[in-house]
Amino acid sequence: LAIVRAQWDLSRALIDRLKGGHRFVLIGTMVARSVIAWFLIAQISDDTPGPLFFLLALLVLVGQRAYNVARSALVPTVVTSDDELVEANSKLGMLSGIMGFVAAGPALLFSLIGPEMVVTLGALMADVAHSRPIPVSATSDSEDTRHRHDLEMSSYEGPTGIVGVLADAATQVGVASAACWAAVPHYA
């Protein structure tokens, strides 16, 4: 416990002294919680959850606490008066509540009906003109899904984003996935 406390005090001191440290923690905890949540989703099954499920749930809660602490430290640095501080904190609290409510709806719906397929939408910058129709490509890694919906196999080999992570998570839990990409001009 003493080692964990010392590490926390040291990291807190570094975060406070680094320029933009609180912003880094805010963004880092959001990304980390998202990634951990996807691993947590993969652990959900009809069986009794194993120890990894509970460890991941704990990590999500710890990440939420770190996010709240960093947010509480950051907000006073970007406002100029007490009135602005109260307004900013109330807006952040309201936004958090709204997003939790909004996210609960689709989650409940999907848990009741069980999704058969996940379709992700993305945009990529390309050499296309805004005056022409937007080219859209639809791909899937699953041979069955490609055959059934007349899709192509993706030939992209490079860094991935959240769309790739979502498609991979769906595949890991046995849900078919497809991706639709729209080519947009870089100046759009």
Side-chain angles (χ1 to χ4, degrees):
L1 184 61
I3 294 171
V4 171
R5 175 66 186 195
Q7 289 173 336
W8 176 252
D9 289 341
L10 178 62
S11 62
R12 188 177 67 200
L14 288 173
I15 290 167
D16 287 340
R17 285 178 178 72
L18 280 174
K19 184 176 181 175
H22 295 291
R23 285 186 176 97
F24 175 75
V25 171
L26 274 174
I27 294 167
T29 56
M30 286 189 296
V31 170
R33 285 185 341 206
S34 299
V35 170
I36 293 168
W38 280 110
F39 285 117
L40 186 63
I41 290 169
Q43 294 297 313
I44 297 172
S45 67
D46 295 333
D47 302 82
T48 304
L52 183 58
F53 174 83
F54 295 105
L55 175 64
L56 293 171
L58 176 65
L59 290 176
V60 169
L61 292 174
V62 168
Q64 178 65 32
R65 181 68 180 148
Y67 172 83
N68 287 336
V69 169
R71 186 189 73 194
S72 296
L74 177 67
V75 172
T77 65
V78 295
V79 296
T80 57
S81 69
D82 288 344
D83 291 338
E84 285 183 2
L85 178 62
V86 170
E87 183 178 350
N89 279 330
S90 65
K91 285 180 180 178
L92 285 170
M94 187 182 333
L95 181 63
S96 176
I98 290 170
M99 292 312 296
F101 180 75
V102 168
L108 176 63
L109 179 66
F110 289 145
S111 69
L112 292 174
I113 63 172
E116 294 179 16
M117 184 173 188
V118 172
V119 178
T120 56
L121 306 174
L124 59 101
M125 291 187 289
D127 294 329
V128 296
H130 71 279
S131 58
R132 306 288 304 154
I134 297 173
V136 176
S137 64
T139 63
S140 177
D141 289 336
S142 165
E143 186 175 341
D144 181 51
T145 303
R146 285 195 313 266
H147 179 71
R148 189 172 354 149
H149 299 288
D150 195 27
L151 304 176
E152 302 172 7
M153 175 73 171
S154 175
S155 60
Y156 177 75
E157 293 181 9
T160 189
I162 191 64
V163 171
V165 172
L166 290 172
D168 184 57
T171 302
Q172 287 182 9
V173 295
V175 176
S177 68
C180 296
W181 288 95
V184 296
H186 69 280
Y187 53 83

